[in-house]
Amino acid sequence: MDQHLALDVAQGLAFLAAGASLRAPNDVRLALAGYGAFSLAAAALTRPPKAERIDQQIALPPNAIIPSRNDGLAGWVAPGVAYLRLGIVNVAFLGLKSAGDRGWVLVDAGLRGTASRIQRAAAQRFGPEARPAAIVMTHGHFDHVGALADLAREWNAPVYAHPSEMPYLNGTRSYPPGDASVGGGFMAALAPFYPTAPTDVGDVLRPLPESGEVPGAPGWQWLPTPGHSPGHVSLWRDADRCLVAGDAVITTGQESAYAVAMQRAEMHGPPAYFTPDWDAAGASVRSLAELAPNILLSGHGRPAKGAAMTAALHKLAAEFDRIAVPHGRGR
């Protein structure tokens, strides 16, 4: 049994045990149990992979990783930027701690069953009654919209997305199934089983402004970064060159359960199993590299900073087809 399979079994049993024994809200217990079952399924389905592997991505040195500076339940990244890791995905909070009710923005909405964790983190950061001015979606994949409907309803908050992403958020269109033949890791192997049906928040869904402004987040602009999904967007703050990239670029090997659990830091293209348009994805990475960000918070992995991170992003952009694109999926 290799280290990946052993990890899947161990974490599956641990999460199932936690879901059964912890004194926690039902949604938290269900999320833990679900993730445990997911990990055990990964172990059960493991076999010597015949999938086309992507090349090793670009390792990030320790000095490129933003140290863990916990601010309550949310890790601090930059002034007015915090994040919360929810199992395999991150959500971001834009706004100063003094922002108060309707003075901040939530970016993405995590996995199903995590609404209470997001609410607790928001309450600790902005105050017990502080609701967001908006929820901004980088895209609508299942690991980014899991708690969206619950949060939008309970906070009475509008949801903003790119017009090309709106069919996946108003219940009218499903994503294509995940591709198990890419990546060569256990997360990729299970891709055909990931949910692809749309969520439906059509009653509160709004298109992002054509001006590029981010509603409720002064100083931020949204940037089209399609490829991983048709209407994927990233968020940019020019004042300190801070980039919230969603899944346009990530900082861990999301195809591997081991890399995800260990949060092994690397500059990585978008998750391969859910990326249908590699030409557009490469163009998006190149457009982000041209900005030369100094701070990077992605949808998966640890936040990164500084010259080493920027150099790694430039290298990924320059050699995207070789480094990020699964063999046989490029031009």
Side-chain angles (χ1 to χ4, degrees):
M1 180 181 291
D2 65 19
Q3 60 185 358
H4 299 280
L5 182 56
L7 178 66
D8 279 338
V9 172
Q11 73 180 10
L13 293 174
F15 274 100
L16 282 175
S21 62
L22 283 181
R23 293 182 179 178
N26 285 338
D27 60 347
V28 174
R29 296 176 63 193
L30 285 172
L32 290 170
Y35 192 67
F38 173 88
S39 296
L40 290 177
L45 291 173
T46 296
R47 59 189 180 276
K50 297 180 180 178
E52 298 177 11
R53 302 184 67 89
I54 52 178
D55 292 337
Q56 178 64 41
Q57 311 275 309
I58 305 164
L60 290 171
N63 64 358
I65 305 304
I66 296 179
S68 177
R69 291 173 285 192
N70 286 335
D71 181 10
L73 293 175
W76 184 87
V77 177
V81 185
Y83 79 104
L84 178 67
R85 185 186 176 206
L86 298 165
I88 61 172
V89 68
N90 301 322
V91 300
F93 302 89
L94 307 183
L96 298 173
K97 289 193 69 175
S98 59
D101 190 45
R102 303 303 194 195
W104 58 281
V105 167
L106 177 70
V107 181
D108 289 341
L111 292 160
R112 185 178 181 89
T114 59
S116 61
R117 286 195 62 195
I118 295 172
Q119 289 174 305
R120 288 199 301 272
Q124 280 202 341
R125 182 165 178 81
F126 303 109
E129 304 299 326
R131 300 162 296 173
I135 302 172
V136 174
M137 300 304 302
T138 63
H139 62 300
H141 285 155
F142 79 98
D143 50 344
H144 294 256
V145 301
L148 180 60
D150 291 340
L151 293 173
R153 180 183 65 253
E154 293 184 27
W155 279 333
N156 190 26
V159 176
Y160 287 88
H162 189 282
S164 296
E165 204 70 12
M166 293 178 75
Y168 309 103
L169 297 168
N170 65 15
T172 60
R173 186 182 303 169
S174 296
Y175 288 105
D179 185 355
S181 71
V182 298
F186 302 142
M187 299 289 284
L190 288 178
F193 302 100
Y194 297 155
T196 57
T199 192
D200 187 359
V201 291
D203 56 333
V204 294
L205 187 60
R206 310 284 186 270
L208 284 162
E210 292 184 2
S211 64
E213 297 176 353
V214 177
W220 289 87
Q221 65 183 110
W222 66 268
L223 308 170
T225 48
H228 184 58
S229 72
H232 191 287
V233 300
S234 301
L235 308 183
W236 172 253
R237 185 169 65 182
D238 192 62
D240 57 353
R241 307 204 328 271
C242 182
L243 174 64
V244 178
D247 286 3
V249 294
I250 59 177
T251 58
T252 192
Q254 193 64 21
E255 297 80 17
S256 163
Y258 181 77
V260 171
M262 297 294 101
Q263 290 290 275
R264 185 176 60 202
E266 56 185 46
M267 186 63 67
H268 197 287
Y273 49 79
F274 261 175
T275 301
D277 189 340
W278 286 101
D279 284 351
S284 293
V285 170
R286 288 187 288 274
S287 71
L288 295 178
E290 288 176 0
L291 297 170
N294 186 52
I295 302 166
L296 170 63
L297 174 60
S298 65
H300 304 276
R302 300 166 65 184
K305 63 176 177 63
M309 178 277 291
T310 305
L313 179 57
H314 280 294
K315 182 176 177 63
L316 177 65
E319 303 179 49
F320 186 81
D321 285 358
R322 180 185 68 80
I323 295 173
V325 180
H327 302 306
R329 299 302 196 280
R331 296 179 184 81

